[in-house]
Amino acid sequence: MADSEFQAIQDRKVRDEQMRNMINRKLVESGERERLKELLRERLIECGWRDQLKAHCKDVVRQKGLENITVDDLVAEITPKGRSLVPDQVKKELLQRIRSFLASQTNI
Amino acid sequence: MNSGGCDHLSAFKEEKGIEPFRIIFSYFISCCSRESRKRKALALQCHTCRQMSPRLHSCLHCVFFGCFGAKHIHQHAKSKNHELSMDLTYGAILCRVCSDYVYDREIEELFRTQQRKSALLLGMLNPFSPWEPSEMEVELLHQNPKRRKIDGNSTIGLRGLINLGNTCFMNCIVQALTHTPLLRDYFLSDQHKCQMTQESQQCLVCEMSRLFQEFYSGVRTPHTPYRLLHLVWTHARHLAGYEQQDAHEFLIAALDVIHQHCKASRNKEDADGNTAQVCDCIIDRIFTGGLQSDVTCQECNILYTFRLEMSPRLSTPSGISPWISAPRKTTLHLVSWSDPCATDSHTLISAVFSNGLDRFEEATSLTYCLRRFTRPEHLGSTAKIKCSKCHNYQESTKQLTMKKLPLVACFHLKRFEHSTGYHKKISTYVSFPEELDMTPFMSASRDNNNGYSHQVIQEAASGLTSENKYSLYAVVNHRGTADTGHYTCFIRQHKSHWFRCEDHLITKASLDYEVLKSEGYLLFYHKQILDYE
Ligand SMILES: [Zn+2]
Ligand SMILES: [Zn+2]
Ligand SMILES: [Zn+2]
Ligand SMILES: [Zn+2]
Ligand SMILES: [Zn+2]
Ligand SMILES: [Zn+2]
């Protein structure tokens, strides 16, 4: 890989990171992040995600025993399943909301 | 896992009190002003790697933020010997010594208060909080240790009903009501506080509660609903007797009696002495929505907007019951209402439906009926309105749209025609979807140039606006003629299992080949997304 090419990729990475941080800041600053969190929570309850995951957590805790498991073990154990169970519809809706939020922010 | 805090946390609280928790929580988790949100937005990054990581923690002993994922908070805690830190998303407290999160009632209570305050400021009136049993409920749970787990294949809730002599019309409605998710939640969580304390034996709501207990008790033998029948006969005299009755009429009567018994002794007036506009009983909370009627004077183009309640409970002429109608032909519903805005509160009489035979070929789907219901309609010379601007009786254009969607929409396809001398049944197949999007029929979709805005329809088609979507959960069918016939129904159990109920018989059914192909009479849809009120 040529040096210039490497440099370009590095630059891009930095720019992406700056962009990500800026978007995050906007979301926090406006309170939109809290609203999105609440929306996501509602949707995940409605589609049964919360119940399913809760049942799974209970199974894991029962299997290993409450004394022998940490929150982090539990998080590690359920994360793959939790991610895969989020309906595409919910992801789409959230993405749409973030998009229209960003579109409404003229100064980005 | 430790649910009762830890010595390290207790020692910390002993020394510094609860204030440090409150400060971090209100500045970096649930902010109560735009100023503090701004500060939070700038501060939220790991002091080691400078990333805005998702699981950022704050040290409770010094000013340090570190991320959890790359273990920067762990490294800090270890090198500085700082035991406790707080997760900056939810406020959970991490103890390095115990290597786990620890919990404390007092702190959690503080957080909840703070969270509510902040949510309120962002316009979220009622953010979700998980159910927590009250002391009484904990007591009850201890006293009754038997638990019943209901999984996706459980048949609990399915129960046949004995036919007491032409009572299939009632059995079908009972099946549909007992499978209405929100009614089930209401009754199984024992929320009915009887208003007829002197004569609760006479209360139809109490009887419904017992019925739900019967249905969800797990007993598989058919239930005999004679008490229900008796109560209906007592309270809705026009349904008494052993003749076949109309299932739709029974539904209206049952919902209305339940509504009356819910508020039997309650003061019907609000503080200002006005009769409350919308009833808050469980029936109205679930089944009542609002319509908007826009009437335009043809002469001066002025627009009058009216609000109407729509509920299967209300019968004509004070509201629109069967609020969807007619797969076919000239069902003329007279609806009258008064204009709440006008000073001389005149009454408008108008025709909701007035479609000639010529249109009936098209009326083969529920969506068609809805489109017809909500499209602008010219009111001719026989239905003039008195315009308060040009002070004269004028012809007008009227459009009905849905202002507030009910949680459960019940569609009645008018298959029976009763005129003097003859009874007729229309058996035309009318298709109906499993999933119904009401967006195009909403008042918000109404475009000022008559019709719907293009954009809304496109949005609805792309499936992104799911707020107005409904799912089918029960279908009542009628077999036979207008004079003699038999009612059966299909009900949905869990998310996607369908069953056919014919009095005491319950059999598995296919959604695509049986339910959606059936000659529907009453269609029950529930809203997919509930707004938390
Ligand atoms: Zn870090
Ligand atoms: Zn520290
Ligand atoms: Zn500890
Ligand atoms: Zn009662
Ligand atoms: Zn009511
Ligand atoms: Zn006029």
Side-chain angles (χ1 to χ4, degrees), chain B residues 400-419:
Chain B
L400 282 173
T401 44
M402 312 213 174
K403 181 71 186 168
K404 182 179 178 290
L405 293 174
L407 299 179
V408 166
C410 165
F411 299 104
H412 171 219
L413 299 174
K414 289 209 75 177
R415 294 193 175 277
F416 298 108
E417 264 184 87
H418 299 287
S419 323

Side-chain angles (χ1 to χ4, degrees), chain B residues 45-51 53 56 64-73:
Chain B
Q45 54 169 287
C46 173
H47 288 186
T48 305
C49 64
R50 298 281 149 201
Q51 295 292 316
S53 321
L56 212 55
F64 178 87
F65 291 169
C67 56
F68 189 96
K71 299 223 174 280
H72 293 143
I73 188 66

